[in-house]
Amino acid sequence: MKSLWKLSLLFGMAMVLSGLAQAVDVKIGFLVKQPEEPWFQVETKFAQKCGADYGFEVIAIGVPDGERVLNAIDNIAANGAQGFVICTPDVRLGPGIVARAKANNLKLVTVDDRFIDASGKYMEEIPYVGMSAFNIGRQMGEALMDELQKRNWPIAEVGFLLTTYDELDTTRERTEGAVAAATEKGFPASQIYRAPIIGMMEIPTSLTAANVILTQYPNVKYWIVGGPNDNSVLGAVRALEGNNHPVANAIAVGINGTDCINELEKATPTSFYGSILGLAGVEGYKTSEMLYKWIKDGTSPQLDTRTVGRLITRENFRQVLKEEGMD
Ligand code: FCA
């Protein structure tokens, strides 16, 4: 009897120990569509910080297309991961990604770009953390209008060059927010010129898009410039420079605040005035934390979490980055 007790005690202890071992053995994937973009580098860095804080492993993988997404999901599963965070290269891949995650028994949290289903509706049942896109777009439009008013340019001589990326909801909402803010502050809708970006949102594709407008409206004297993110605005700034537009006759404001630091650090100012800094670090940390707690404790993550933005310029960016722990 005594030895039976001992045996069951030993067995119980072994169970507890193996439970503990399992608890620390959490692994997650962190999959992003554009790993070369500083936004996603900051996100990934903070995901890794979360892993270091809680003691779990983060496998970071760049997934620029659908095939690589599916391979990455299979790979992390084979490596013993229990879930992943993803910013998909195409939101319409949502149902396929969910199916692949289920087949591999992986939990999943989405970041930045929200999945849509076959009928074009958000997949609201999949946890999502992303920008409060319309409001952040509004902030961009307001920053442009505030600076425009300071410069006292006659509105009739100003064009609003807006690069757009309407196939993605978060980016469409941002540029629509900017249009709403500008028109509410009295900017004529007829002087807003949209430049749709074809392909990926990058500096060269945005430059090409902006050039179409600059060629169409060569007589505009002053430009205000916006777009869905920093690179799409930087492309437009480069296009203005290529067209020999005077630096002082344009005001450009981006979104992200992570991909324009080199620009703001330049010794000689360009037309890039500032950016609405989003919380890439918070998003990377939070999504990983949610997923970890879901895996470890079964805590269901919140389905829709939104982050805010804050204007940075050449004057304040160092200070703000420090305050946000992003320096
Ligand atoms: C999208 C954009 C990124 C970033 C993110 C919050 O994924 O492509 O640059 O703005 O939303």
Side-chain angles (χ1 to χ4, degrees), residues 33-34 37 39-40 87 112-113 131 174 201 229 256:
K33 64 176 183 178
Q34 284 172 289
E37 194 174 88
W39 174 269
F40 294 109
C87 177
D112 296 325
D113 298 0
M131 277 186 180
R174 295 175 206 175
M201 266 185 301
N229 65 8
N256 277 5

Side-chain angles (χ1 to χ4, degrees), residues 239-258:
L240 281 163
E241 288 163 356
N243 282 271
N244 295 319
H245 190 81
V247 166
N249 286 2
I251 306 160
V253 174
I255 289 176
N256 277 5
T258 41

Side-chain angles (χ1 to χ4, degrees), residues 23-176:
V24 276
D25 201 19
V26 170
K27 268 189 206 170
I28 67 164
F30 200 85
L31 281 41
V32 297
K33 64 176 183 178
Q34 284 172 289
E36 70 292 348
E37 194 174 88
W39 174 269
F40 294 109
Q41 291 168 2
V42 174
E43 247 175 29
T44 306
K45 188 174 129 195
F46 277 79
Q48 271 151 348
K49 184 177 181 325
C50 181
D53 288 353
Y54 283 95
F56 63 90
E57 192 183 326
V58 178
I59 310 168
I61 309 178
V63 289
D65 57 50
E67 202 185 319
R68 272 178 269 201
V69 171
L70 298 180
N71 285 339
I73 296 174
D74 292 345
N75 279 336
I76 59 163
N79 274 302
Q82 300 92 341
F84 62 96
V85 176
I86 185 167
C87 177
T88 174
D90 181 346
V91 288
R92 288 164 304 185
L93 294 171
I97 295 173
V98 171
R100 195 65 151 240
K102 277 206 182 116
N104 280 298
N105 203 17
L106 295 170
K107 296 187 162 52
L108 100 105
V109 172
T110 55
V111 68
D112 296 325
D113 298 0
R114 199 173 196 188
F115 288 174
I116 53 174
D117 65 17
S119 59
K121 288 204 199 74
Y122 286 131
M123 296 179 73
E124 287 174 357
E125 69 283 11
I126 307 297
Y128 170 75
V129 177
M131 277 186 180
S132 196
F134 193 81
N135 283 337
I136 286 185
R138 285 191 76 92
Q139 283 175 275
M140 173 172 68
E142 278 160 16
L144 286 168
M145 290 304 292
D146 288 349
E147 190 57 25
L148 171 60
Q149 268 148 16
K150 275 191 205 145
R151 300 203 194 180
N152 269 323
W153 296 339
I155 297 285
E157 294 178 25
V158 184
F160 186 174
L161 169 54
L162 187 62
T163 55
T164 58
Y165 197 73
D166 286 355
E167 46 266 64
L168 184 58
D169 291 296
T170 178
T171 44
R172 183 181 41 76
E173 284 171 23
R174 295 175 206 175
T175 44
E176 280 179 7

Side-chain angles (χ1 to χ4, degrees), residues 4 7 52 58 69 90 92 101 160 199 203 209 259 268 285 318-319:
L4 205 64
L7 206 68
V58 178
V69 171
D90 181 346
R92 288 164 304 185
F160 186 174
I203 294 179
D259 318 345
T268 317
Y285 198 99
R318 278 181 222 282
Q319 178 60 29

